[in-house]
Amino acid sequence: MERLLLFPQPFPDESLYSLAVRYHRLVANCSYRLTSQELFGTYSRTCGSILPCCLGALSQRLAAAYSVGELIRCFTLLPLYQPFLDDATYSAACIAMAGNHGNGLKMSLGLTASRFLKHASFRYCGSCVHEDTQNYGVAYWHRIHQAIGTCICPHHGEVLRAMAFPGRTDWRCMLLPAEADGTPVMESPSGTAASTIAEMQLWGFGHPSDVKTLLAGNFLKHRLDEMGFLKSGRIREQRLRAFLSPRLLESPRVNEFQEIAYSSDWALRILRPRRTVVQPLKFYFFCWLLDVNLEQLKCFHPKKDIRSGDLSFEKDTSNAADEIDIEARRSAFSSSSYLKCHDKPGYHWLHRHDREWLTQYVASHPFIRLRECLIDWKARDLAVARELLAANDLILSVEGKPQKITRAALDRRVACGHEFLRTPDNFPISIRRMNDLLESNHDYQVRKIKWAARHYLLSERCAVSVIYRFAGIRVSHVTEAEVFKLLSCMK
Ligand SMILES: [Zn+2]
């Protein structure tokens, strides 16, 4: 492992990708592949991600400058998710980001299930680009602009622009903001939703422990109580839905909001997450739907009476029936013996009506495809063994001076010789056959003496040195007596 000789000084809220781009330019590398190798010791496919991996290798290359934890806290978006994760999930996420692959990372954070990722883009603010260029001499990627659901710069109130990398390339072409065409992510910030949510996300991103306190103090329940949506500790669901519906129509006209703005179901599920990870965007969006502003989040002090206990919905026969129905369907689905989720009873119903639970179930019950062995190794072994015999005959019947039967000579005449020698465990019969066929120096010289005797009509009257010369033997592995016996037998 080689230590980095230089690394850019990070700017405020700079993303890891942005640092990688600036490093790439500082050392004048010609490709991302080379930069990735130098920074991460491997070809990282996640450098442009909001949750990049390979941070363990980078930390080592930076000597004591940044630990993995500091890299995660300072240059990735994980702190935005941290308050919404339990300790085990957060630790697992950090471990995944320290490693080189990060398999299942986004799934464990509920990002895959949220379907927000397909709307992610590299976003920048025109005013930030201008200010950064003036202050630091270069524009750079801000982490908060890349947070899902941030459409307005929380510093300038300006609509963010999504940059299209040129020629259908992606972030691997190593560009900084505004170096390629950027289009506004929304037409105009009609209403307050987009800017309020951006401000909340910025604050939550910088104050994970405060957000954790909000969640632990059941902030949303307090708010519902203030708004009269609680009765005896239960949520008045119909009334809440009636309030949310017109608010949802004021959602920002941006893809990630439109993903959830068609229904208030997700908002009600946030109140009882059932071991699923609440997406930060959903939490802050729900706060906005409940007419909460950033100051209210900052000033929240939990009261003891509401703090404890889970939220339940006001008893309502239709809801109770729904709950029973959902539970029955879930139970039938999860107890089915079919291996594939698509084959289990009620899959399509759950996909339409209870998708979060289904997604969670699928994530926690991965279908491991049994890999069928497509190659019949035994048959191939027998075929190779037959080919070896044929190869042996071929070598023995070669015209002219005899060739030695060696491993290489045999292997050259076998169809899948390379594979055969590379994976000997798959070819036990052939390996034994080959070892039997290999010719010792003694046997080879005997064969050469017989050939020379036939070819040059030698007899036992010739000197041994003459016989050796005709047979092409320099270092003898046969005795003189054996040579004369061979010649006498050939008469
Ligand atoms: Zn800005």
Side-chain angles (χ1 to χ4, degrees), residues 164-181:
F165 289 92
R168 293 189 177 182
T169 54
D170 61 11
W171 53 265
R172 291 171 178 82
C173 61
M174 308 302 268
L175 295 181
L176 289 172
E179 290 183 338
D181 290 340

Side-chain angles (χ1 to χ4, degrees), residues 125 127-128 145 153 155-156:
C125 156
S127 297
C128 283
H145 294 162
C153 174
H155 305 294
H156 298 102

Side-chain angles (χ1 to χ4, degrees), residues 26 34 74 100 104 176 190 223 240-241 250 255 306 345 360 370 383 427 431-432 436 470:
L26 274 175
L34 185 57
C74 301
N100 281 4
L176 289 172
S190 54
R223 182 62 187 158
L240 179 58
R241 281 184 189 274
E250 297 173 42
N255 287 335
I306 294 185
Q360 195 71 18
L370 294 173
F427 297 89
I431 292 289
R432 274 202 306 277
D436 292 343
F470 279 110

Side-chain angles (χ1 to χ4, degrees), residues 197-342:
I197 291 165
E199 285 168 9
M200 287 181 181
Q201 293 220 98
L202 177 64
W203 174 77
F205 188 31
H207 301 83
S209 56
D210 289 352
V211 179
K212 203 142 196 158
T213 308
L214 277 179
L215 297 171
N218 230 330
F219 172 78
L220 291 175
K221 190 169 181 180
H222 278 275
R223 182 62 187 158
L224 291 173
D225 194 30
E226 281 172 6
M227 298 178 81
F229 291 125
L230 290 190
K231 185 181 175 188
S232 309
R234 292 175 183 277
I235 295 171
R236 301 169 119 171
E237 187 181 340
Q238 300 298 337
R239 192 179 286 197
L240 179 58
R241 281 184 189 274
F243 172 79
L244 292 176
S245 295
R247 291 283 284 172
L248 283 167
L249 295 177
E250 297 173 42
S251 306
R253 303 273 170 232
V254 185
N255 287 335
E256 52 257 51
F257 284 95
Q258 295 307 308
E259 194 73 56
I260 50 177
Y262 62 89
S263 154
S264 55
D265 290 353
W266 61 269
L268 296 171
R269 276 195 290 269
I270 283 183
L271 299 168
R272 290 194 303 184
R274 295 175 192 267
R275 296 195 299 278
T276 54
V277 175
V278 173
Q279 294 302 297
L281 169 59
K282 287 185 179 177
F283 176 77
Y284 296 117
F285 186 28
F286 194 23
C287 287
W288 176 82
L289 288 173
L290 296 178
D291 216 7
V292 172
N293 59 37
L294 178 56
E295 288 310 308
Q296 286 167 292
L297 291 184
K298 288 179 180 173
C299 302
F300 174 68
H301 294 292
K303 294 175 202 162
K304 276 189 178 172
D305 53 333
I306 294 185
R307 185 170 179 158
S308 58
D310 270 352
L311 275 176
S312 56
F313 290 87
E314 191 179 27
K315 280 279 182 212
D316 163 304
T317 46
S318 64
N319 282 340
D322 285 351
E323 287 289 307
I324 292 166
D325 185 29
I326 288 176
E327 283 305 325
R329 286 175 189 271
R330 286 179 182 177
S331 169
F333 182 84
S334 51
S335 59
S336 165
S337 57
Y338 285 105
L339 287 175
K340 288 185 182 172
C341 284
H342 286 82

Side-chain angles (χ1 to χ4, degrees), residues 458-469 483-484 487:
L458 303 175
S459 70
E460 63 267 42
R461 287 193 299 277
C462 297
V464 174
S465 60
V466 174
I467 296 166
Y468 281 173
R469 194 170 72 246
V483 174
F484 290 124
L487 293 175

